[in-house]
Amino acid sequence: MLPWSADLSGRLDEHLFESEMLRDNPLGDPRERPLWVYVPPCYEDTPDRRYPTVYVIHGYLGHIGMWRNRGPFRKTFIEAVDELFAEGSAPPAIVVYVDAWTGYGGSQYVDSPGTGRYHSYLCDEIVPWVDRHYRTLAHRDHRGIAGKSSGGYGAMITPMLRPDLFGGLATHAGDALFEYTCVAKFLGCIRFLRSYDGDIQRWWKEFRERGVPAKAADRSLLILYGVSACFSARKDGTPEIPFDGQSGMLLPDIWQRWLDLDPVRMVAGHADAMRSMRGIWVDSGAGDEHHLDLGAQAFHQALVRAGVPDETVHFELFPGGHGDLDQRHLLSLAWLARRLAPTR
């Protein structure tokens, strides 16, 4: 296998998208974002044909450029997607790569006074733009969304909030079942905050002065602080973490704001939307280091309780951990492409 890039059979168009929704966002992050649109090999040869669309969203601390990461003896994700369609392993589809990086490392694909209007940016700007500029089947029954980790979280909640836009989803080890998966992370953060007298603002000030992660605490506290900006920011945009930094006790009002955004808890209130999906793929490594296999399992059971038909859902716990998700993306993409393809 070549250790450098190869020509694609399809085409990857790289755009610079100027967002009105992200104008004057609270972190001063760029409102101009890269937007990549892949069209399958047959796209140019069939000018009258329209295609299903799958939106692929990245995880926390990720950005769009990471889809080009290359490991030894492995294709990049973009090349693997191209091979999938070039070999005819899935019905042809358009694949859209969306960037939602923030100065905190991520957006969780929600609208928040702490980060900006990333849910609206995706749903009300990117989707209509793609439908205007490409030959999509511009109907929710032919539009899906997929992601891993925090991208998996976005893939779960976005169709619940906008079933008019998305008719299928794939989530790989997506953030869910917060009372276990988030609280497990809080325990280490409480210990890390001892060095800052329990004050995460002191850590943030120091981190910004350093500019790069350099301490063992940085990654965990950055995710805590950033996700708090997404889920529980004050009206002025200041993130509020959901526990007391000195005692470690959960702060009920703030913690409830997180629980209200837990996909497992959201299903009951969006049961009609979930029952209307053409396909829902849920998986995780059974040994996920962040216990997100428990979240996948609970999300699946919430779908069952909501009356989502068994034939709509693919649920799987596979051998492996959080770092074994890239190949799963390819499996779910092929599966979603089949589910979202027009019926003859």
Side-chain angles (χ1 to χ4, degrees):
M1 184 176 295
L2 298 177
W4 52 80
S5 61
D7 292 336
L8 300 180
S9 298
R11 189 182 80 228
L12 184 71
D13 296 338
E14 300 187 31
H15 304 282
L16 189 63
F17 185 85
E18 188 170 333
S19 170
E20 286 301 316
M21 294 292 182
L22 300 184
R23 183 192 291 273
D24 300 323
N25 66 79
L27 297 179
D29 289 325
R31 59 185 289 251
E32 291 185 335
R33 294 299 177 100
L35 174 68
W36 299 348
V37 182
Y38 169 85
V39 297
C42 57
Y43 187 84
E44 299 292 351
D45 299 331
T46 54
D48 296 327
R49 184 174 181 178
R50 292 186 172 271
Y51 297 86
T53 312
V54 178
Y55 287 74
V56 179
I57 53 179
H58 57 74
Y60 211 85
L61 302 182
H63 56 79
I64 194 171
M66 298 174 86
W67 295 113
R68 281 203 168 107
N69 287 352
R70 182 183 302 280
F73 304 103
R74 297 184 70 176
K75 293 179 171 65
T76 69
F77 183 75
I78 291 168
E79 291 168 353
V81 167
D82 181 64
E83 183 178 61
L84 179 78
F85 291 116
E87 292 181 345
S89 300
I94 294 170
V95 181
V96 182
Y97 299 86
V98 180
D99 184 81
W101 168 266
T102 75
Y104 291 139
S107 68
Q108 296 297 88
Y109 305 93
V110 298
D111 289 347
S112 167
T115 53
R117 302 179 64 189
Y118 284 87
H119 172 76
S120 296
Y121 152 73
L122 168 61
C123 294
D124 297 330
E125 289 189 315
I126 298 294
V127 169
W129 188 92
V130 171
D131 285 344
R132 284 197 304 271
H133 290 86
Y134 289 87
R135 296 197 314 275
T136 66
L137 288 163
H139 188 278
R140 53 92 63 185
D141 283 350
H142 307 296
R143 190 184 294 116
I145 186 168
K148 62 181 180 180
S149 198
S150 288
Y153 173 81
M156 284 186 276
I157 67 163
T158 304
M160 283 196 267
L161 299 174
R162 293 299 303 269
D164 58 313
L165 290 183
F166 293 97
L169 70 94
T171 175
H172 305 283
D175 301 340
L177 197 66
F178 290 174
E179 59 263 46
Y180 290 111
T181 58
C182 290
V183 169
K185 291 295 184 183
F186 294 167
L187 303 178
C189 291
I190 294 164
R191 289 176 173 171
F192 286 137
L193 286 173
R194 289 172 184 163
S195 300
Y196 301 94
D197 295 327
D199 186 355
I200 199 167
Q201 299 295 343
R202 279 184 53 190
W203 166 82
W204 177 242
K205 181 176 183 297
E206 179 197 287
F207 178 81
R208 291 189 69 187
E209 290 170 352
R210 285 190 276 113
V212 294
K215 293 186 175 182
D218 286 344
R219 182 182 176 90
S220 294
L221 293 181
L222 179 58
I223 293 174
L224 169 65
Y225 196 67
V227 176
S228 296
C230 300
F231 290 166
S232 55
R234 299 174 190 159
K235 291 182 179 180
D236 67 2
T238 303
E240 289 191 296
I241 63 174
F243 58 83
D244 180 84
Q246 292 186 323
S247 71
M249 296 291 290
L250 289 172
L251 301 174
D253 290 346
I254 299 174
W255 178 229
Q256 187 61 51
R257 294 175 66 183
W258 285 54
L259 293 177
D260 289 344
L261 291 170
D262 183 342
V264 174
R265 293 169 180 256
M266 288 176 65
V267 168
H270 300 274
D272 287 345
M274 291 291 93
R275 286 192 293 266
S276 76
M277 294 292 116
R278 294 187 66 177
I280 301 174
W281 176 293
V282 184
D283 75 11
S284 173
D288 188 277
E289 299 85 340
H290 309 290
H291 302 100
L292 293 171
D293 52 319
L294 306 183
Q297 191 170 280
F299 184 67
H300 175 236
Q301 286 302 309
L303 296 174
V304 171
R305 290 194 299 273
V308 178
D310 289 344
E311 59 269 23
T312 300
V313 182
H314 175 97
F315 170 68
E316 184 178 355
L317 297 180
F318 59 88
H322 203 69
D324 301 310
L325 299 175
D326 286 350
Q327 294 304 309
R328 308 299 302 184
H329 250 314
L330 295 173
L331 295 173
S332 71
L333 179 59
W335 186 85
L336 271 182
R338 289 190 288 271
R339 288 298 180 110
L340 299 172
T343 55
R344 298 187 184 278

